[in-house]
Amino acid sequence: MTSYKDQVSKYERIPEGGNPAQTEAWAMIETAKRLATAILHGADDDFETRKKRKDALRLNWRLWTIIQAELTQTRPDLPPDLQVNMLTLCNFIDKHTVGALLDPTAEKLSVLIDINRNIATGLMQMPEDAAKAAAKESQRTLEKPTPGEPHQRIDAKV
């Protein structure tokens, strides 16, 4: 088994498309890095440092909002209990981020960093076949029009 450090080093640059799980893992690690940087510079309480901290928190919040939106869609590739657990985690992230924006302590940011790292580690360990199957199912879901609604494709960017 490769170490966490080895796994992270693979994601120093933006991953190639075609593997949503790997892209999501990269996004989780990237936002965790930005939050960690905000902690490192947390001793400085100047305007620029506070802005970087809030920017990192907002980026993480946007990422989790995208994940939450994806999870609210019909996902036959996800077990229902996993979908509910992830939506519950998204709800926690929402509430915790609001608290961290109001009072951005190192402890509050560390909670978000740990969650992102743990989820990213799980995503990186997904077998490639399972990730490709999930990507195909997700693509089919996006391309199917909802009855009574016009066909529309949605692309989300982090």
Side-chain angles (χ1 to χ4, degrees):
M1 179 177 217
T2 59
S3 72
Y4 177 75
K5 187 175 182 177
D6 293 336
Q7 291 173 346
V8 170
S9 69
K10 291 188 333 187
Y11 294 93
E12 291 297 320
R13 60 181 172 17
I14 298 173
E16 293 181 20
N19 191 333
Q22 299 301 308
T23 303
E24 290 170 359
W26 173 83
M28 291 279 179
I29 290 169
E30 183 63 29
T31 56
K33 284 182 189 177
R34 292 183 189 196
L35 290 166
T37 300
I39 290 174
L40 292 175
H41 299 291
D44 304 331
D45 203 26
D46 60 3
F47 174 78
E48 191 62 33
T49 301
R50 287 192 306 271
K51 182 180 179 332
K52 284 182 182 180
R53 217 175 298 142
K54 285 185 178 184
D55 288 347
L57 282 164
R58 287 182 180 132
L59 176 64
N60 191 61
W61 201 2
R62 280 194 305 268
L63 173 63
W64 280 94
T65 299
I66 291 167
I67 292 168
Q68 185 174 19
E70 175 67 20
L71 287 167
T72 60
Q73 304 299 313
T74 303
R75 294 282 309 262
D77 59 312
L78 278 182
D81 58 334
L82 177 60
Q83 190 171 10
V84 168
N85 289 341
M86 286 300 295
L87 285 167
T88 302
L89 182 58
C90 289
N91 187 34
F92 172 81
I93 298 285
D94 285 346
K95 291 178 181 180
H96 192 80
T97 302
V98 169
L101 283 166
L102 295 172
D103 181 27
T105 64
E107 292 79 21
K108 289 180 182 176
L109 272 64
S110 292
V111 168
L112 297 171
I113 291 167
D114 290 344
I115 291 170
N116 282 16
R117 287 179 176 166
N118 287 326
I119 297 295
T121 299
L123 289 168
M124 287 187 283
Q125 293 175 357
M126 276 184 72
E128 193 169 326
D129 292 341
K132 285 181 181 179
K136 284 181 185 176
E137 185 58 40
S138 181
Q139 184 66 27
R140 265 190 246 120
T141 302
L142 285 174
E143 292 176 350
K144 288 181 191 174
T146 305
E149 292 183 16
H151 179 72
Q152 184 177 19
R153 181 185 166 112
I154 300 171
D155 291 317
K157 294 183 181 179
V158 177

